[in-house]
Amino acid sequence: MNPDFDLKEELKKLPGKPGVYLMHGRKDEILYVGKAVNLNRRVHQYFVKKVGRGPKIEHMVNRIAWFEYIVTDSELEALVLENNLIKENRPKYNTLLKDDKTYPYIKVTIQEEYPRVLFTRKLKKDGAQYFGPFKSSIAVKETIEVLRKLYHVRDCTRSLPGDIGRNRPCLNHQIGQCDAPCQGYISKEEYREHISQAADFLSGNYRPVVKRLEERMKAASEEMDFETAAKMRDLMQNVISVTQKQKMENGDGEDRDVLALAVDGMDAVVQVFYVRDGKMIGREHSFLRIGEEDASLGTDERKERILSVFVRQFYASAVFLPKEILLECAIEDQKLIEEWLSAKRGNRVYMKVPGRGTHSRLVRMAHENAQIALNMDRERIRLEEGRTIGAMQEIAALLGLGHLTRVEAYDISNTSGVESVGSMVVFEQGKPRRSDYRKFRIRTVEGPNDYASLREVIGRRLRHGIEEEKEIEERHLEPGDTSFHIFPDLIMMDGGRGQVNVAQQVCRELKLDIPVCGMVKDDYHRTRGLYYHNVELPIDTRSEGFKLITRIQDEAHRFAIEYHRSLRGKAQTHSLLDEIEGIGPARRKALLRSFGSLEAIRDAGEDQLAHAPSMNASSARKVYEFFHPSSTK
């Protein structure tokens, strides 16, 4: 939960623009994703008491702790972005389509010698050029029809040029809608020029086509042919609708980040859009306080400097690096940073400043969101930075560490030594990185021995990291989404001297130089300080650093308890029948349903067991021998 979120104040700041909003619960989980023509008006509606909006919506509204939003240029872009975010996050209160239906696209098969213009709902890396997605499949189909009439592009499945002259020209040629490249009536160069014009039209240069349709509409109207005039009018509307620029999805299926910057005085906000597999799936913005030296630079030079610093810091600890990073402007040492990121990724990383087209419009939208965040969210972002990055800096200063980006914390949970488990939680830049959390089921320790359990957990984690790092280096693999090869800047133990000594001993054995500290609690089980270098360091309990330590400790404990509880639940539902080879859940249920109890199954004869539903002679024999190991037949 974001404790600095003032609902009334944030509602006042909402822009009256189209976009997508995300409702978050008290644990930061996404409850609902929605789109709006007017964000201000739509989001306000959730917090006005309404009669008859249903118990489900009322229940969701009562759980909302805070919200965020992304501004788009149009309602259609908001619709596509909403679809992407729902698929990515699967919020509890959204309707999730079982068939995962996708939006329609127009596909131009430019990889073919004689390309076609087709309707499709699937994006493939097949060399074709895709336009979309679009909201209306009817408009798409009618627009393709217009393209065939205007540019005489083929829609047949003949393999050209191999099939040229093999069959008679089709009906489309006879009615004047195809120049019959299948007969060689048009040269390849001239035909591809028609395709180029069609693609230019789909890219947004639709005014000449609209003008021609408008002229035909007026001519039909003057001749009192109102049916044709209405048809031309509808075609014009479809053409305008289908050629509206789309920035939420891109048919190339690539991974890229989009970075844009807004600056005002000594403050700046960098907006990052995440595009994965060609779809925009999320965003993040960071607040920066500009140094005195950078503040004295000219406008362009200052932006280049700030963005360069941000890129270096932002990607220094990144687990995943995209193939492409789109920038609002060129940055200092761009070539050098590009080489560094390429080496870090294991493949080439391209940093580009798009001049025009979809990528340029995406950068412009990122800049607009950065500007809104700077204007409206400045104080909240500054408080959030204090709670996260600022708190990490406080802890680093307290421990005398040069920098602190990634922290890992460990805890053990057991009940009298039964089902002992370990938890590892990760905080980066002061925020929980839940995708990197790990659970450990204790394998080598019997009984309630927390020190030995911690030794096993930390040893398994660090050895896994060493092996993973070695494999990446030897086989030149991409790091991907796995994170064990990224070691923490600090290990935090839930406890004092004993727990710290265990972790330090494991690090020494593995020849890893990782600082270790303990989170010490008082007699009332409240955090009171850090144990580091055999000294307990007191902390100001009002500081953001202290609050972050408490959050980390609570999170490690919660995660361990949650895992232990789930294992206890499984143990309670465990049946003796589960231990019999070949007796799965279906047969176990059938046996219990037929005989009523475990005792009745034990007392049953082999023939009786064989006649139970789902059973056969072989499985009956296994059950009988399990309960009567000394029996022979």
Side-chain angles (χ1 to χ4, degrees), residues 459-518:
R460 281 166 58 186
R461 181 269 179 267
L462 296 179
R463 287 188 188 91
H464 193 162
I466 292 170
E467 291 166 6
E468 195 175 88
E469 191 177 50
K470 186 178 179 181
E471 187 178 11
I472 290 170
E473 192 173 315
E474 288 179 351
R475 297 175 59 187
H476 305 288
L477 300 175
E478 289 187 36
D481 291 329
T482 185
S483 61
F484 270 119
H485 68 282
I486 298 178
F487 293 108
D489 302 314
L490 176 68
I491 291 176
M492 303 185 83
M493 307 301 296
D494 185 30
R497 177 182 296 177
Q499 288 83 354
V500 170
N501 288 342
V502 168
Q504 287 177 332
Q505 187 177 0
V506 175
C507 290
R508 282 195 298 270
E509 289 172 0
L510 298 176
K511 296 181 172 56
L512 293 173
D513 184 19
I514 302 175
V516 182
C517 73

Side-chain angles (χ1 to χ4, degrees), residues 21 56 228 296 323 361 436 441 496 501 549 589 628:
Y21 56 91
K56 187 175 180 181
T228 301
S296 62
K323 181 179 180 180
R361 290 187 290 275
D436 287 2
R441 196 166 182 172
N501 288 342
I549 292 168
K589 289 179 183 176
H628 307 86

